[in-house]
Amino acid sequence: MRIVVRADASRVLGVGHVMRCLTLVEALDAKAWFICSQADGHIGDLIAARGHQVHLLADAMPAAEDAAHTAALAAQYKASLVLVDHYKLNATWEREMPCPVMVIDDLADRPHACAVLLDQNLGRDLADYAGLVAPECVCLIGPRYALLRPEFQAVRAQSLQARAQKTPLDGSGRAHVLITMGGTDAPNATGWVLEALHQMPEICETVRISVVLGPTAPHQQAVRSALETLDC
C-alpha cells in the first residue's frame, strides 16, 4: 500500500500530527511519502530515519498551491491513499487529490471530502460531523480508535497490573507521576506544572517525577533545571 501523508510539525505547532500519522502508516505496514512544510522543527530527519520518504514544501504555502503540489506528488508516487492531518486544510483541498483521502481531525469545525475520517478524541460523537462529511464517509469516532504506538501497547498489561497492585514498576516504593505536555510544548506548560510542584516540597518523599519532551522542545534546559531543583 502506498500512502502520501500531508502533515506538519514545527517548534510552534508541535509534532503530534506527524507522529500519529507515522503510527498509522506503520501499523498498516505501508510505504509512505510524507509531505511537510519546511518549518523550523519539521522533524523530516526523524521521518526518514523511520524508513519513509520526505518531501518538503515551502513554509506557509497557500492552500491551493499546497493542494496542487500534493496532488501532483500523489500521482507521481501512484498513491492509493492520501492521509491528511492538518487543521488548515479542508474539503476544497481534499477534492484536488487523485485518490481516496483519509482525514485525521480533532476539531469538527470544517467540511471534509474524504472516504474515511478518524477523530479519536474523548467525548467526540458522530453527530459532531453531521453535515461536514458525506453520508458514505466511514467515520471512526472516539478513543477506541486511538493511535497508540506499539511500545505503549507492549507494556499495557504490565502497567495495568502494577496500577492494580499499587506497585511502581521501578520498585522504588514511590508513586510515579509522568508529566508530558506534547513533544514540543511551545508554551512550556511543563514548567508551569513543575513550578506548582515546587510549592509542595514534601511531595518528593512519596512521588517520583518523570518528564517527557521531544528533541525539538524549546524549553528543555529550563525543564531540566526545574527538575534538578525539585529533586524528585
Side-chain angles (χ1 to χ4, degrees):
M1 186 177 190
R2 293 170 172 250
I3 298 178
V4 161
V5 178
R6 180 66 186 92
D8 286 340
S10 73
R11 294 187 184 276
V12 175
L13 180 64
V15 299
H17 296 287
V18 168
M19 293 305 296
R20 62 189 182 183
C21 288
L22 274 169
T23 298
L24 181 56
V25 298
E26 290 173 359
L28 294 171
D29 196 23
K31 187 172 184 180
W33 288 262
F34 278 73
I35 300 173
C36 307
S37 293
Q38 196 169 5
D40 185 27
H42 58 71
I43 67 169
D45 289 346
L46 183 149
I47 297 169
R50 300 273 283 263
H52 305 289
Q53 302 296 317
V54 181
H55 184 98
L56 297 177
L57 300 177
D59 193 20
M61 181 179 286
E65 191 175 348
D66 187 309
H69 276 77
T70 304
L73 288 167
Q76 176 185 334
Y77 298 148
K78 297 180 173 59
S80 51
L81 180 73
V82 169
L83 173 62
V84 57
D85 187 345
H86 201 300
Y87 295 154
K88 293 184 178 180
L89 303 178
N90 58 22
T92 301
W93 184 97
E94 292 151 14
R95 290 190 188 98
E96 298 300 314
M97 298 303 110
C99 58
V101 173
M102 178 177 178
V103 170
I104 300 177
D105 192 24
D106 303 297
L107 305 179
D109 66 345
R110 62 202 188 281
H112 291 290
C114 57
V116 181
L117 182 137
L118 168 63
D119 186 327
Q120 61 189 351
N121 287 283
L122 183 67
R124 182 64 73 207
D125 188 87
L126 180 60
D128 296 333
Y129 284 95
L132 298 180
V133 296
E136 62 271 18
C137 176
V138 176
C139 293
L140 309 176
I141 306 296
R144 65 181 294 189
Y145 298 106
L147 296 169
L148 297 178
R149 299 205 308 271
E151 52 264 46
F152 291 100
Q153 296 177 8
V155 298
R156 177 173 170 76
Q158 183 185 8
S159 180
L160 290 175
Q161 182 180 9
R163 181 191 300 176
Q165 296 174 350
K166 295 183 171 54
T167 304
L169 292 178
D170 66 353
S172 67
R174 294 184 292 171
H176 189 186
V177 175
L178 176 67
I179 301 171
T180 176
M181 300 295 181
T184 303
D185 188 16
N188 195 21
T190 304
W192 305 339
V193 173
L194 294 177
E195 178 60 31
L197 292 175
H198 271 288
Q199 310 306 313
M200 302 179 286
E202 70 283 356
I203 197 170
C204 289
E205 297 176 6
T206 57
V207 169
R208 184 170 66 89
I209 305 293
S210 294
V211 171
V212 176
L213 287 172
T216 62
H219 302 287
Q220 289 185 51
Q221 189 52 54
V223 168
R224 290 181 189 276
S225 297
L227 283 169
E228 290 172 2
T229 303
L230 188 60
D231 193 26
C232 283

